[in-house]
Amino acid sequence: SVVTPRQIEKVVGQKLMVHLQKGDLILWSHFRSESAFERLSNIVSQQMRAVTVDVSGARSVGGWVRPNDRVDIMCTFNNPKTGEIVTKTILENVILIATGDISSGTNITVLDKSELGFQTITVMLMPEESEILVLASKLGDLHMSLRNPADAAKGNGERPEASIMTLLTGLRTKILADIREKLAKIHRGEGIAPTEP
């Protein structure tokens, strides 16, 4: 597993996965190679598609999301019927398969902190969902909300989008705050599951 002096020309100029100092043994496993990373196409399930979209900063949950996380994707855009700015969850319980260049086959423990940032996410979707996501990325800003891995619940599809009136009236916010408190009690083992409004 050690690179010998006779083999040194094979590794000169190659990118390392770890930091080395003078005197350290050089191992073949220290270098990035195509074989060390799974091809992204092998991660994508049959009948599904990988789609990459731009995200940054707070839109990516502050960069805390990682491959294999599940997220909901929201879009903020101008409603063509009313002209007002709205935010709507367009896709729920979506599997992230890559954040920037990092996929589930990447050993992030050997990466420098500067290499963990990303400007894009790649998600696994059905072809029809891929079209929705690409269109939404052209209409407005995309944001993600991170899910607990065990939370597979989905909305009933009739949840209204958040609008400026949602903020101004505060009615929906009060109802949701009550539900959030009930969920917190369940999490603490103190209550019964609420129903979605």
Side-chain angles (χ1 to χ4, degrees), residues 75-77 84-89 159-167 172:
C75 183
T76 299
F77 58 98
E84 71 177 327
I85 298 172
V86 297
T87 297
K88 182 152 185 73
T89 299
R159 178 173 54 221
E161 69 269 0
S163 67
I164 293 171
M165 289 308 294
T166 307
L167 300 178
R172 186 170 163 212

Side-chain angles (χ1 to χ4, degrees), residues 4 8-9 12 21 23 40 42 44 76 85 109 137 165 169 176 179-180:
T4 66
I8 201 70
E9 70 280 352
V12 170
Q21 297 186 13
L40 198 61
N42 292 333
V44 180
T76 299
I85 298 172
T109 60
S137 71
M165 289 308 294
T169 63
L176 295 172
I179 293 172
R180 183 168 23 86

Side-chain angles (χ1 to χ4, degrees), residues 127-139:
E128 297 86 350
E129 293 175 311
S130 301
E131 295 167 0
I132 292 168
L133 181 59
V134 170
L135 177 60
S137 71
K138 297 298 181 191
L139 292 177

Side-chain angles (χ1 to χ4, degrees), residues 7-22:
Q7 300 168 316
I8 201 70
E9 70 280 352
K10 293 183 179 180
V11 296
V12 170
Q14 299 297 316
K15 189 166 184 179
L16 289 164
M17 292 176 62
V18 296
H19 294 288
L20 294 178
Q21 297 186 13
K22 185 177 179 180

